C-alpha cells in the first residue's frame, strides 16, 4: 500500500513537470534552435541549405501574417487603424525615446575607455536602438497575452514602413562627426536605395499580401475559417514560425563567426544590457500608456497597453540586418560585430517577453474581472433602488398613480421631496376619483 502511494506520488510529480515543460515549449524550443544554429550554422543561414532567406524570411513570416489576417475581424482592423493616439505613443517610443537611450548608454560606455569593450559593439547598440518594432514576434506575444492583437498588427505595419525611412536617418545622425562614433558611419549613400528596395519588397510579400489574403478568406468563408483556426491550432503554427526566425538569425551570426571576434567581457555586457534595456523600455511604455495623470484620450485600456508595451520595446532584425548589410557592404567582419547586439536583442527580447506574457495575461484578466464586478454592482444597486420605490402593500390605484407620475419626473425638477409626495397624493386621489 505504501509503495502504491509512493508510486502515485511519483506519477503526479512527473505529470506536473511534464505539463510545465509543455506549457513552456517555446522557451525550450528557443534553446533547441540556438543549439542547432551553433552546431549546424550553414543549414539555416541566408543562402544556406534550406535557403532561409526565402523559406524563413518570406514564407515563415507570411504564414504568421496569413494566420493573423484570418483571425482578426475586418471591422476591428479598420477601427484600430484609426487609433492615432496609440500609433503616436508607440512610434514616439520606438523612434525617439529608445534610440536616444541607446545612444546615451553607448556614449557612457565609450567615455569609460574600457579596452575590453569592442568599439564596433557600441555601434551595434546604437543601430539596434534605431530599428523599428519587430515584424512578427510582438503580434504573436500580444495574441498569447490576450492583448489587442489587431492594434499590434497595425503598429507593426506603421512602424516598419516608417522605419524604412527613419532608421537610416537616425543611424546617420547618431554616427555623425560630433558624436564620437563617426568611425562607424558608412559613406555609401547608394546603399540606402538598396535598403529601401529590400525592406519594401519584404514587407509587401511577407506582411501586406498575406494579411490581405487572410482577410479575404475570412470574409468569404467565415465559419470555415473559424473551424480551421480551432481544429488545426494555427496560433501554435505561428509561434513555431517565430522559432524558425530565431534559428535563422543565430545561424547567420554563427556562420559569420561574429561571436568569436569579441571579448568575453563584451559578450557578457551585451547580454545583460539587452535584458535591462528591454525591461526599461517596457516600463517606459507602461508608464506612458497606462498613466492616470494623462488626458483621457491618451489613457489606454489594459489590452491596448499590453500591445504598446510589446511593440514599443521590441526591435527587429528584419530591418536591422538589411540596414547593417547595406551600410557595411562587403565588410564581413564589421557586419558580424555590429550585428551581435541586434541578434542577441532579438532572442533575449522574445525570452523576456515570454516571461512577461503570463503576467500581462493575468493583469488583463484582473481588469476584466474588476470591470465585471463594477458593472454587476451598479446593476444590483439600480435594481435595489427600483425595488424600494414600491412597497409590498402598494394598491392598484397607487401603481396607476405612479405610472402617471413617472413621465412628469422626466420633465419637471422638484426642489423638495415633500413636493413629490404632494404630487403623488394629488394624482392618486384624482385617479381614484376617476
Amino acid at each position: 500500500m505504501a509503495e502504491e502511494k509512493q508510486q502515485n506520488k511519483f506519477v503526479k510529480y512527473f505529470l506536473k513537470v511534464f505539463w510545465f515543460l509543455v506549457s513552456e515549449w517555446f522557451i525550450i524550443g528557443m534553446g533547441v534552435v540556438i543549439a542547432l544554429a551553433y552546431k549546424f550554422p550553414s543549414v539555416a543561414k541566408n543562402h544556406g541549405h534550406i535557403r532561409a532567406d526565402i523559406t524563413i524570411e518570406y514564407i515563415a513570416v507570411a504564414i504568421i501574417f496569413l494566420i493573423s489576417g484570418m483571425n482578426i475581424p475586418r471591422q476591428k482592423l479598420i477601427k484600430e487603424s484609426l487609433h492615432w493616439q496609440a500609433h503616436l505613443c508607440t512610434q514616439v517610443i520606438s523612434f525617439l525615446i529608445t534610440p536616444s537611450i541607446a545612444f546615451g548608454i553607448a556614449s557612457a560606455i565609450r567615455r569609460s575607455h574600457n579596452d575590453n569593450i569592442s568599439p564596433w559593439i557600441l555601434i551595434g547598440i546604437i543601430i539596434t536602438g534605431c530599428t523599428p518594432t519587430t515584424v512578427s514576434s510582438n503580434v504573436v506575444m500580444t495574441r498569447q497575452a490576450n492583448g489587442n492583437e489587431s492594434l499590434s498588427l497595425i503598429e507593426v505595419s506603421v512602424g516598419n514602413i516608417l522605419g524604412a525611412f527613419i532608421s537610416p536617418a537616425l543611424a546617420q545622425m547618431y554616427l555623425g562627426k560630433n558624436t564620437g562614433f563617426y568611425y562607424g558611419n558608412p559613406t555609401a549613400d547608394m546603399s540606402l536605395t538598396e535598403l529601401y528596395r529590400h525592406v519594401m519588397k519584404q514587407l509587401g510579400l511577407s506582411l501586406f499580401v498575406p494579411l490581405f489574403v487572410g482577410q479575404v478568406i475570412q470574409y468569404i468563408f467565415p465559419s470555415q475559417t473559424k473551424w480551421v483556426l480551432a481544429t488545426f491550432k494555427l496560433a501554435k503554427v505561428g509561434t513555431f514560425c517565430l522559432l524558425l526566425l530565431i534559428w535563422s538569425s543565430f545561424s547567420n551570426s554563427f556562420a559569420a563567426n561574429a561571436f568569436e571576434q569579441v571579448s568575453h567581457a563584451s559578450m557578457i555586457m551585451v547580454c545583460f544590457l539587452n535584458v535591462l534595456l528591454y525591461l526599461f523600455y517596457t516600463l517606459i511604455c507602461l508608464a506612458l500608456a497606462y498613466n492616470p495623470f494623462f488626458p483621457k484620450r491618451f489613457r489606454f485600456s489594459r489590452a491596448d497597453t499590453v500591445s504598446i508595451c510589446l511593440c514599443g520595446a521590441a526591435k527587429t532584425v528584419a530591418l536591422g540586418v538589411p540596414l547593417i548589410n547595406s551600410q557595411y557592404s562587403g565588410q564581413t567582419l564589421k557586419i558580424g560585430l555590429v550585428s551581435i547586439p541586434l541578434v542577441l536583442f532579438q532572442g533575449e527580447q522574445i525570452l523576456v517577453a515570454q516571461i512577461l506574457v503570463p503576467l500581462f495575461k493575468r493583469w488583463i484578466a484582473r481588469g476584466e474581472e474588476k470591470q465585471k464586478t463594477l458593472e454587476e454592482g451598479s446593476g444590483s444597486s439600480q435594481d435595489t433602488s427600483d425595488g424600494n420605490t414600491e412597497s409590498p402593500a402598494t394598491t392598484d390605484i397607487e401603481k396607476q398613480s405612479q405610472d402617471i407620475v413617472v413621465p412628469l419626473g422626466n420633465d419637471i425638477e422638484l426642489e423638495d421631496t415633500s413636493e413629490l409626495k404632494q404630487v403623488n397624493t394629488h394624482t392618486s386621489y384624482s385617479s381614484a376619483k376617476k
Side-chain angles (χ1 to χ4, degrees):
M1 190 69 178
E3 292 181 358
E4 185 177 352
K5 287 183 178 181
Q6 187 175 3
Q7 186 176 4
N8 291 335
K9 186 177 180 181
F10 174 77
V11 171
K12 289 180 180 179
Y13 178 78
F14 175 78
L15 290 175
K16 186 177 180 180
V17 173
F18 173 77
W19 288 115
F20 172 77
L21 295 176
V22 170
S23 66
E24 302 297 334
W25 70 273
F26 184 83
I27 296 177
I28 297 173
M30 280 186 61
V32 172
V33 297
I34 292 174
L36 289 174
Y38 173 74
K39 190 67 176 177
F40 310 103
S42 60
V43 175
K45 71 174 184 177
N46 290 346
H47 306 286
H49 297 316
I50 64 172
R51 287 303 303 271
D53 50 303
I54 297 175
T55 57
I56 294 180
E57 287 189 12
Y58 284 95
I59 297 177
V61 175
I63 291 173
I64 292 174
F65 287 102
L66 175 66
I67 295 171
S68 296
M70 295 169 63
N71 191 45
I72 300 175
R74 186 181 69 262
Q75 295 83 355
K76 189 173 183 182
L77 198 61
I78 295 173
K79 176 185 175 183
E80 297 302 337
S81 65
L82 303 176
H83 197 351
W84 64 268
Q85 296 94 333
H87 306 332
L88 180 63
C89 181
T90 306
Q91 305 312 324
V92 164
I93 293 170
S94 185
F95 291 117
L96 291 181
I97 297 178
T98 58
S100 60
I101 293 174
F103 175 75
I105 291 176
S107 298
I109 297 173
R110 182 181 65 84
R111 291 179 182 276
S112 68
H113 303 291
N114 190 336
D115 296 333
N116 293 322
I117 306 299
S118 170
W120 289 100
I121 291 292
L122 302 182
I123 301 296
I125 292 173
I126 294 173
I127 292 180
T128 300
C130 294
T131 58
T133 184
T134 186
V135 174
S136 51
S137 63
N138 42 25
V139 177
V140 176
M141 303 295 180
T142 304
R143 184 191 308 136
Q144 292 175 348
N146 292 336
N148 193 340
E149 182 185 356
S150 57
L151 180 60
S152 290
L153 192 55
I154 296 298
E155 298 305 334
V156 163
S157 304
V158 173
N160 280 270
I161 291 174
L162 292 177
F165 300 95
I166 296 177
S167 294
L170 287 174
Q172 291 291 319
M173 182 181 71
Y174 286 119
L175 302 180
K177 290 183 178 180
N178 299 323
T179 61
F181 297 102
Y182 189 64
Y183 62 89
N185 192 329
T187 57
D189 295 331
M190 292 299 294
S191 64
L192 298 181
T193 302
E194 182 67 18
L195 171 68
Y196 295 148
R197 186 193 67 80
H198 176 86
V199 171
M200 290 305 172
K201 177 183 175 183
Q202 185 172 22
L203 288 177
L205 295 179
S206 63
L207 195 156
F208 296 119
V209 171
L211 178 63
F212 175 76
V213 172
Q215 287 285 294
V216 171
I217 292 173
Q218 181 190 151
Y219 180 76
I220 299 176
F221 310 105
S223 57
Q224 295 90 333
T225 301
K226 290 181 180 179
W227 180 82
V228 169
L229 288 170
T231 304
F232 295 99
K233 308 292 183 183
L234 292 188
K236 299 292 185 184
V237 175
T239 308
F240 176 76
C241 291
L242 187 58
L243 286 177
L244 296 180
L245 278 174
I246 299 171
W247 182 29
S248 176
S249 298
F250 276 89
S251 294
N252 287 324
S253 295
F254 284 124
N257 296 320
F259 296 106
E260 299 176 4
Q261 304 297 327
V262 296
S263 63
H264 295 298
S266 294
M267 290 299 300
I268 294 172
M269 184 272 295
V270 170
C271 289
F272 281 100
L273 181 62
N274 282 341
V275 173
L276 293 175
L277 281 177
Y278 183 78
L279 290 174
F280 186 52
Y281 295 161
T282 304
L283 288 175
I284 291 174
C285 295
L286 184 62
L288 294 178
Y290 203 72
N291 195 320
F293 301 104
F294 281 4
K296 188 175 181 179
R297 65 173 57 188
F298 287 100
R299 291 200 300 261
F300 304 98
S301 67
R302 296 195 180 198
D304 290 351
T305 300
V306 168
S307 173
I308 292 172
C309 287
L310 292 173
C311 291
K315 297 298 178 181
T316 181
V317 297
L319 182 68
V321 170
L323 174 62
I324 294 170
N325 289 338
S326 62
Q327 297 204 48
Y328 303 100
S329 178
Q331 304 178 59
T332 306
L333 179 58
K334 289 182 180 179
I335 290 174
L337 292 174
V338 174
S339 299
I340 287 176
L342 180 61
V343 172
L344 288 178
F345 194 93
Q346 169 81 6
E348 289 178 274
Q349 73 182 0
I350 295 175
L351 180 62
V352 176
Q354 275 292 308
I355 298 173
L356 294 178
V357 160
L359 301 178
F360 282 140
K361 192 173 184 177
R362 285 196 291 268
W363 185 57
I364 292 175
R366 284 200 301 268
E368 292 174 349
E369 291 174 1
K370 184 178 179 181
Q371 183 66 25
K372 186 177 180 180
T373 303
L374 290 175
E375 291 175 356
E376 291 176 352
S378 61
S380 62
S381 63
Q382 181 67 29
D383 294 340
T384 304
S385 62
D386 292 342
N388 290 336
T389 57
E390 179 180 325
S391 65
T394 305
T395 62
D396 293 336
I397 295 176
E398 290 173 330
K399 290 180 181 178
Q400 191 177 13
S401 67
Q402 290 170 359
D403 292 337
I404 298 173
V405 171
V406 168
L408 295 175
N410 294 332
D411 298 324
I412 302 173
E413 292 185 5
L414 300 178
E415 295 180 359
D416 189 61
T417 54
S418 60
E419 297 182 32
L420 179 60
K421 293 179 181 178
Q422 291 175 6
V423 172
N424 282 330
T425 305
H426 176 71
T427 308
S428 299
Y429 176 78
S430 300
S431 300
K433 189 175 181 180
K434 289 179 181 180

